[in-house]
Amino acid sequence: MKLFAILLTCALACSTSFASAQQKQVVIRFSHVVAPDTPKGKAAERFQQLAEQATQGRVRVRIYPNSQLYRDREELEALQLGAVEMIAPSLSKLRPLGAREFEVFDLPFMFPDKEALHRITNGPIGADMLERLQSRGIIGLAFWDNGFKSFSANRPLRLPSDLHGLRMRIQPSRVLDAEMRALGAQPMALRFGEVYDALAAGVVDGTENPPSNFYTQNMQDVQAHFTVSNHGYLGYAVLVNKKFWEDLPIDIRLALEEAMRSATRYADSISQDENDKALKAIQDSGKTQVYFLTETERKEWRKALTTVSANMQDHIGAQLISNIQNAINAP
Ligand code: LMR
């Protein structure tokens, strides 16, 4: 009788603690480095809203924008250590994970438009790239668009030779380093949160980014010229800590996956408009002169950058580059 009572108490205690473990609120700390009113910032907020709604508050998403919590490289380390659960670094910043194949997205003039790009990010090649992150303790949930990059500096940039001798801020990518060197510029890898001050202090003379990142960091205050060159792509991989993700109760994980699919469609649907609006705001600021390359000028930039792709074959993987080119050119 006594034994029965003990067993019963035990069973009750176990089921209560199991239920409370099931009910325990899950907190997702989502760290990123850009402003809230950018494509990434808005998509993060959309994910937050959808995730909290779908799980009826069992999940809380706390967003830390503008490098508030961690900066570029640190956020990758924080994710691996479990100090944050979710990040969305640009694809140019994944090399510390040993994932240099993502630098394929940095190759100049690789993707003629978003349609071509989505053939990769929404297709089997993109899925395979994300899948390989698992061996680093990370799950890649999605690709999010920002947009195509333009060059800026304190002098007009119409032809590649205009970049000669300029110190240009880049993200930490070998491909971007090679791009700037091919143009005769001196590349300097700086964290995103340091770019405004470095431009203001003249530590660097120019940079490259889509208009949304440029405008929301007030770079129009410190850069007199912005050339719409659309010479390369900037996008993100949304990453979560693998152990955290796999330990989630299955119903929660499925709800979060659905919220992420929705947030991804949203990110990709607003990115062009966000960049168009930012470009107009840069023009309207009257502080930065915006220049659109003519077709002839664009050809010159393309020509000046052709060596980059050839020289980066070994670094990125010739097979991957060729698979991507085939997928883009497929009917
Ligand atoms: C940059 O460092 O220029 C970008 O990666 C920032 C971002 O996350 O869009």
Side-chain angles (χ1 to χ4, degrees):
M1 190 65 198
K2 204 164 166 195
L3 182 66
F4 176 74
I6 292 171
L7 285 175
L8 186 68
T9 317
C10 224
L12 278 173
C14 287
S15 73
T16 316
S17 79
F18 179 71
S20 75
Q22 292 278 300
Q23 296 300 312
K24 219 173 95 195
Q25 191 170 59
V26 174
V27 176
I28 298 181
R29 290 163 292 181
F30 188 162
S31 167
H32 70 79
V33 301
V34 296
D37 52 341
T38 52
K40 176 162 62 179
K42 290 189 172 181
E45 283 173 9
R46 177 59 68 104
F47 171 72
Q48 173 186 49
Q49 189 193 5
L50 293 169
E52 293 186 354
Q53 244 169 33
T55 59
Q56 288 156 345
R58 281 170 70 201
V59 172
R60 280 270 162 261
V61 181
R62 300 200 202 293
I63 304 174
Y64 301 90
N66 265 327
S67 312
Q68 232 173 62
L69 205 55
Y70 293 106
R71 299 184 298 178
D72 301 7
R73 191 184 172 130
E74 291 92 314
E75 69 177 14
L76 280 174
E77 289 162 4
L79 183 75
Q80 286 186 296
L81 293 170
V84 291
E85 286 70 34
M86 186 174 281
I87 61 173
S90 87
L91 303 170
S92 322
K93 294 180 184 167
L94 301 183
R95 187 144 50 100
L97 299 177
R100 59 194 192 189
E101 62 273 15
F102 282 87
E103 287 179 42
V104 74
F105 292 102
D106 291 333
L107 287 176
F109 298 107
M110 178 79 177
F111 302 95
D113 50 36
K114 288 266 179 77
E115 202 267 313
L117 180 98
H118 290 159
R119 283 186 179 206
I120 309 309
T121 51
N122 297 338
I125 299 180
D128 183 55
M129 289 172 87
L130 292 180
E131 177 73 29
R132 278 195 256 154
L133 294 173
Q134 295 220 18
S135 60
R136 285 101 177 183
I138 284 173
I139 292 187
L141 292 179
F143 288 98
W144 283 355
D145 277 341
N146 186 328
F148 289 96
K149 293 179 290 183
S150 288
F151 290 112
S152 68
N154 275 328
R155 69 179 187 215
L157 304 170
R158 299 196 169 183
L159 291 170
S161 55
D162 293 327
L163 241 77
H164 267 203
L166 293 189
R167 283 158 305 172
M168 297 292 286
R169 181 269 170 171
I170 54 163
Q171 302 178 77
S173 143
R174 276 263 294 274
V175 172
L176 298 180
D177 186 281
E179 169 198 280
M180 290 302 179
R181 288 183 198 281
L183 296 169
Q186 194 187 318
M188 237 189 201
L190 294 175
R191 296 182 184 96
F192 186 63
E194 298 167 337
V195 182
Y196 178 93
D197 287 345
L199 289 168
V203 174
V204 285
D205 305 300
T207 184
E208 56 164 23
N209 238 309
S212 58
N213 274 350
F214 184 93
Y215 183 69
T216 54
Q217 296 295 318
N218 296 318
M219 292 187 201
Q220 62 280 4
D221 294 347
V222 289
Q223 291 279 263
H225 296 274
F226 186 93
T227 293
V228 180
S229 48
N230 294 327
H231 61 279
Y233 172 73
L234 179 85
Y236 309 107
V238 186
L239 310 177
V240 283
N241 178 291
K242 186 169 187 281
K243 173 151 179 25
F244 163 78
W245 199 249
E246 289 179 346
D247 284 351
L248 287 173
I250 187 67
D251 60 328
I252 295 267
R253 187 156 19 114
L254 290 174
L256 293 179
E257 280 169 3
E258 181 52 35
M260 183 53 67
R261 276 192 290 276
S262 249
T264 300
R265 283 193 295 274
Y266 174 75
D268 293 354
S269 74
I270 62 164
S271 61
Q272 187 60 48
D273 195 43
E274 289 296 312
N275 279 305
D276 291 347
K277 281 196 297 209
L279 185 62
K280 174 144 191 340
I282 297 167
Q283 283 173 305
D284 291 348
S285 76
K287 297 174 187 166
T288 304
Q289 209 170 341
V290 175
Y291 181 70
F292 293 83
L293 293 180
T294 63
E295 233 1 87
T296 318
E297 287 163 345
R298 221 173 122 76
K299 277 196 189 126
E300 290 297 315
W301 288 89
R302 204 183 257 280
K303 203 162 96 197
L305 289 166
T306 43
T307 53
V308 178
S309 202
N311 293 342
M312 286 294 118
Q313 298 258 333
D314 286 348
H315 177 66
I316 295 168
Q319 190 60 53
L320 176 65
I321 298 179
S322 138
N323 290 348
I324 289 183
Q325 274 158 347
N326 291 340
I328 292 175
N329 296 328

